[in-house]
Amino acid sequence: MAFEFQFPDVGEGIHEGTLVEWLVKEGEAVETDQPFVKVETDKAVVDLPSPVEGKILKLHNKPGDTINVGDVIVTFGVNGESTAQAQKAPGKEAPPKKEAPPPPAGSAPKQAAPTPAPASPGRRPLATPHTRAYARELGIDLAGVTPTGKNGRITDEDVDKAAKGGPAAASPVQATQAPVPPGRAEVTEDGPVERVAASHLRKVIADAMVVSKRTSAHVTHVDEADVTDLMALYKKLKPQVEAGGETRFTLLPLFMKALVAALEQHPLLNASYDEQAQEIVYKKYYHLGMAVDSPEGLIVPVLRDLDRKNMVQIAAEVADKAARARERKLRLDELRGASCSITNIGPLGGVFATPVIHQPELAIVGLHTIKDRPAVVDGEIAIRKLMYLSVSFDHRIIDGAEAARFMTDLVKLVENPGLLMVRL
């Protein structure tokens, strides 16, 4: 009997995804565990492996389609079945598909092999998240790029051609502006507007933010730290670490190690709250969620067991997971299980912010801009490197006094790097 493969429940509260690319064709033979399709969820772009060895009898969706958990997306032929012999496997049936409306009178008949053309204004161009990010870096509007990839997908090479002066090359003004996906133009009583459909990831982020604000009693505590000595240490360490060619060394590992040390002293900020059981769950591990600003939206990969890793190891992991987060290439297990989170807002500017807690955690720490400012040191005014640190915490479980004590200890560690080294 033919085997109908349903889009599986991949966990993490994921109920739907977008089919990005078929890696096989109808009639092609596949082996067990061979990746056969790329699917984009709100967490990552994942390859789904074939559960059987056989032949592809039917691909039920096309790239760009939204698929729900339980939808049949491919029919496999096992034991030599042909398409004509395919029968429905027991289980949940795929929902009936709506037939496309007939073409308007006078429209041209569909060609067997149409010539690739730029995406129509009302349709989002097909491209992988990596290609979209690459196009943004070059200031290229994908709506004007001629696709040459499979199923009308825009490739990196297509973007390169546009960037070298092809018909889709962006003007200097376009290159400095954030690209906006093509939408639907409207004229309101206040003036013209354009409506753009929110991406799947953006809808998930929106829902998560609302749930977090509705669930936790958010309070933010802000403190100031003099990181002059920490910066001096960092400037000494950076060339020595990078001399080995292992990885790019940033300030973030220093702050992560300080945060872990502070969490060890204040375990309540490394906990979660089981509301149904009315129990506080103290985590005996230190897995930090790291907020990454990707082209598709905010993604939070998790760095595990940071109390057991040195700063060089952490630096390599930060670089790796940040890069793969921006390309949506993280595995699902790399996006779950954080006990606390950290967000580095400083490079983007601003004085300080109030980050939203990532459920079901109880706290998130914000790192803000480091600036040269006057400070009083031993009764004298001196120019020091100062920054604000913030912690948003769930006031249902964490009292303000405990959050203040936590921040005092965190500030002490980043202001005294020698003390931090002793705690490692």
Side-chain angles (χ1 to χ4, degrees):
M1 179 178 288
F3 176 78
E4 289 191 332
F5 180 87
Q6 300 172 353
F7 180 46
D9 182 352
V10 293
E12 299 299 305
I14 294 171
H15 304 293
E16 67 177 18
T18 301
L19 198 151
V20 175
E21 180 182 5
W22 287 112
L23 304 177
V24 294
K25 298 177 181 178
E26 291 185 357
E28 183 176 332
V30 294
E31 299 179 357
T32 303
D33 294 330
Q34 175 184 333
F36 69 93
V37 66
K38 288 183 179 291
V39 175
E40 179 181 18
T41 71
D42 58 287
K43 301 286 187 179
V45 176
V46 296
D47 291 350
L48 297 184
S50 172
V52 296
E53 178 181 353
K55 181 181 290 186
I56 303 295
L57 298 185
K58 183 174 178 59
L59 304 178
H60 293 270
N61 301 87
K62 62 182 184 298
D65 283 354
T66 297
I67 53 178
N68 298 294
V69 170
D71 286 354
V72 175
I73 61 174
V74 63
T75 301
F76 294 96
V78 293
N79 300 323
E81 288 95 345
S82 66
T83 304
Q85 295 171 319
Q87 301 177 30
K88 287 201 170 184
K92 181 175 178 179
E93 294 186 358
K97 293 187 178 293
K98 296 181 180 179
E99 293 187 5
S107 62
K110 186 177 180 181
Q111 300 297 318
T115 302
S120 59
R123 184 172 180 270
R124 191 179 188 223
L126 289 178
T128 65
H130 176 272
T131 301
R132 293 186 190 282
Y134 184 49
R136 287 187 180 93
E137 290 177 7
L138 298 182
I140 299 299
D141 182 359
L142 290 181
V145 176
T146 300
T148 62
K150 187 159 72 171
N151 298 315
R153 183 169 301 280
I154 295 172
T155 66
D156 288 358
E157 289 73 22
D158 298 332
V159 174
D160 284 333
K161 290 178 183 177
K164 291 177 180 176
S171 67
V173 174
Q174 288 176 311
T176 61
Q177 297 175 340
V180 177
R184 185 177 76 256
E186 284 187 6
V187 178
T188 70
E189 61 181 12
D190 296 317
V193 300
E194 185 176 8
R195 292 180 174 271
V196 178
S199 68
H200 178 66
L201 177 58
R202 177 51 54 193
K203 289 185 286 186
V204 169
I205 292 172
D207 290 342
M209 296 298 100
V210 171
V211 168
S212 184
K213 295 293 283 188
R214 187 171 62 235
T215 301
S216 298
H218 278 71
V219 176
T220 300
H221 180 100
V222 181
D223 211 333
E224 187 177 49
D226 182 339
V227 293
T228 305
D229 294 341
L230 185 72
M231 290 295 294
L233 174 64
Y234 168 68
K235 289 183 178 180
K236 291 181 180 178
L237 292 176
K238 182 177 174 64
Q240 296 179 46
V241 173
E242 294 182 350
E246 295 180 61
T247 187
R248 177 172 172 263
F249 190 64
T250 68
L251 274 169
L252 192 54
L254 289 161
F255 283 104
M256 285 182 164
K257 291 298 283 188
L259 175 55
V260 168
L263 291 173
E264 290 174 336
Q265 295 174 277
H266 301 274
L268 194 56
L269 282 91
N270 197 54
S272 60
Y273 180 52
D274 185 336
E275 189 168 7
Q276 185 173 1
Q278 295 188 329
E279 294 176 337
I280 299 172
V281 183
Y282 288 91
K283 311 294 174 62
K284 301 301 182 181
Y285 50 83
Y286 299 92
H287 303 343
L288 293 188
M290 174 182 67
V292 176
D293 178 28
S294 83
E296 301 294 319
L298 183 68
I299 298 176
V300 187
V302 177
L303 288 73
R304 309 176 85 83
D305 298 314
L306 294 195
D307 56 321
R308 305 178 188 176
K309 297 174 181 175
N310 63 47
M311 283 187 282
V312 177
Q313 292 172 315
I314 295 173
E317 191 171 350
V318 165
D320 171 60
K321 288 189 173 176
R324 289 192 291 121
R326 294 186 181 100
E327 296 178 358
R328 302 294 301 279
K329 291 183 178 180
L330 291 167
R331 302 187 309 273
L332 292 176
D333 64 291
E334 295 177 305
L335 293 152
R336 62 174 180 82
S339 55
C340 187
S341 289
I342 187 169
T343 177
N344 185 17
I345 310 166
L348 300 178
V351 179
F352 66 85
T354 57
V356 176
I357 300 166
H358 189 232
Q359 296 298 318
E361 299 155 34
L362 296 181
I364 179 172
V365 169
L367 309 178
H368 306 282
T369 305
I370 299 173
K371 289 185 176 180
D372 288 338
R373 296 203 300 269
V376 178
V377 180
D378 297 328
E380 301 288 337
I381 296 179
I383 300 300
R384 307 288 289 180
K385 294 189 178 297
L386 304 179
M387 71 178 298
Y388 291 111
L389 298 171
S390 67
V391 59
S392 295
F393 61 95
D394 190 341
H395 210 345
R396 296 178 304 166
I397 308 301
I398 301 171
D399 294 332
E402 175 60 13
R405 286 190 287 265
F406 163 79
M407 286 297 288
T408 296
D409 287 335
L410 179 60
V411 168
K412 187 184 300 182
L413 288 167
V414 298
E415 286 190 335
N416 299 278
L419 180 61
L420 175 59
M421 296 301 112
V422 171
R423 294 296 306 272
L424 296 184

